[in-house]
Amino acid sequence: MKPLLLIAHPGHELRIFQWVYQTRPHVVVLTNGDGSIGQPRLEHSRQLLDPIGVQIREDWLASVPDSGIYNALLGTAPSPFQAWLRSLIDIGMQGHFDTVVADQAEGYNPSHDLCRVMANCLVRALRQSGRSIRSLEFPLIGHSCDPARQHEVEEEVTLTGAELAHKLSIMHLYASSTSKTLERELQTMLETFGEASFARECLYPAARTPYESNELPPNMPEFERIGEERFKAGIYRNVIRTKHLRQLAQDMLNKN
């Protein structure tokens, strides 16, 4: 039985690429990764994963543009979230996966945090139905294997020198081929943590988010801070706030 890898954006699979190569998970991607420039990168991920026998399961969930996520969170467009969750619950009940691996909620991007909320609600519903499901998460912005969290690691993959070199080359090529934003993010992570940090891929037990507890995060999320700045600058008409994710989480918990 394969794991389910549930990610918000194409490209997140690169963060744990060796794990993906070894386990060949089902991959579900919430968005096509077009961002603000309107250039989807889902096809880049498909071209990366197909040769290693990993399928993006668009038959399970059809990805939408990033704006579709944002507008649905703001309530200015129909929400696909309940239908997505219901579909994944039904697939999980058919026994297609016994592990859910998904983005960690780091307060960096609302779609990342939404993905974690969906994963948690999916696992909760399956467990309540009697399924034994592991629930794991991995960081996208933080250290791949933070030494301070070593005691928390549930699953770890250590890359050889050749595997690390291959992974780094793929990450650079993917970023340069798709998005200046990805290039900047990759460069920031390399400067912050160093290339060697990518030689370990750690999966942690999934944490419950403040959104599910209907609480405020301890600090203002980065996406809300940036949203406020761009709203004041006249770039954004609306700001996605923690209240939007809290309301979504409560709706998912109450209806599933």
Side-chain angles (χ1 to χ4, degrees), residues 4 6 85 88-89 92-93 97-102 115-137 205-207 212 252-253 256:
L4 166 64
L6 179 64
L85 180 57
L88 291 176
I89 291 171
M93 289 298 295
F97 53 85
D98 60 3
T99 299
V100 176
V101 177
C115 185
R116 171 43 52 197
V117 169
M118 279 193 62
N120 286 354
C121 291
L122 168 61
V123 170
R124 174 179 178 269
L126 292 175
R127 286 175 175 171
Q128 288 181 338
S129 298
R131 290 276 174 185
S132 178
I133 301 287
R134 280 202 310 163
S135 184
L136 304 174
E137 65 184 19
E212 295 154 77
M252 285 187 171
L253 290 170
N256 293 281

Side-chain angles (χ1 to χ4, degrees), residues 13-251:
E13 69 278 1
L14 289 166
R15 197 74 159 124
I16 50 172
F17 184 72
Q18 195 63 28
W19 177 86
V20 170
Y21 180 79
Q22 292 180 3
T23 63
R24 306 294 206 277
H26 300 288
V27 178
V28 169
V29 189
L30 302 187
T31 76
N32 64 19
D34 65 344
S36 59
I37 59 175
Q39 294 181 359
R41 59 178 190 261
L42 188 64
E43 185 59 30
H44 290 269
S45 286
R46 192 178 353 265
Q47 292 173 5
L48 174 68
L49 296 174
D50 279 352
I52 63 172
V54 176
Q55 183 181 1
I56 297 176
R57 300 302 306 256
E58 292 184 273
D59 55 329
W60 290 5
L61 187 151
S63 305
V64 300
D66 282 290
S67 60
I69 295 277
Y70 301 149
N71 290 331
L73 284 172
L74 290 166
T76 58
S79 170
F81 306 138
Q82 291 290 350
W84 282 353
L85 180 57
R86 188 69 253 167
S87 175
L88 291 176
I89 291 171
D90 290 344
I91 291 164
M93 289 298 295
Q94 295 169 30
H96 287 287
F97 53 85
D98 60 3
T99 299
V100 176
V101 177
D103 299 344
Q104 180 179 319
E106 298 169 286
Y108 178 74
N109 182 294
S111 295
H112 301 184
D113 289 13
L114 160 68
C115 185
R116 171 43 52 197
V117 169
M118 279 193 62
N120 286 354
C121 291
L122 168 61
V123 170
R124 174 179 178 269
L126 292 175
R127 286 175 175 171
Q128 288 181 338
S129 298
R131 290 276 174 185
S132 178
I133 301 287
R134 280 202 310 163
S135 184
L136 304 174
E137 65 184 19
F138 63 99
L140 292 160
I141 303 302
H143 194 296
S144 296
C145 285
D146 188 345
R149 299 185 65 190
Q150 183 59 40
H151 63 288
E152 300 176 39
V153 176
E154 182 163 330
E155 197 168 323
E156 179 177 342
V157 177
T158 301
L159 283 66
T160 65
E163 289 167 345
L164 173 60
H166 179 59
K167 176 180 175 179
L168 289 170
S169 68
I170 291 174
M171 294 175 78
H172 281 292
L173 179 60
Y174 190 102
S176 64
S177 300
T178 57
S179 167
K180 292 293 184 183
T181 299
L182 282 185
E183 286 189 283
R184 289 193 298 270
E185 290 175 345
L186 176 57
Q187 187 59 37
T188 296
M189 285 190 290
L190 288 169
E191 291 173 354
T192 303
F193 305 120
E195 289 187 352
S197 69
F198 290 88
R200 297 173 62 212
E201 299 173 350
C202 290
L203 302 181
Y204 302 91
R208 183 178 175 88
T209 68
Y211 313 118
E212 295 154 77
S213 303
N214 205 17
E215 299 172 349
L216 289 173
N219 301 301
M220 176 183 283
E222 183 75 358
F223 67 77
E224 189 169 351
R225 183 189 65 78
I226 293 174
E228 283 192 354
E229 290 178 356
R230 294 181 180 176
F231 176 78
K232 292 175 182 177
I235 301 172
Y236 284 177
R237 293 184 178 181
N238 299 288
V239 179
I240 296 175
R241 301 189 181 278
T242 56
K243 67 179 182 181
H244 296 114
L245 284 158
R246 288 163 60 197
Q247 183 59 59
L248 169 66
Q250 297 310 303
D251 289 344

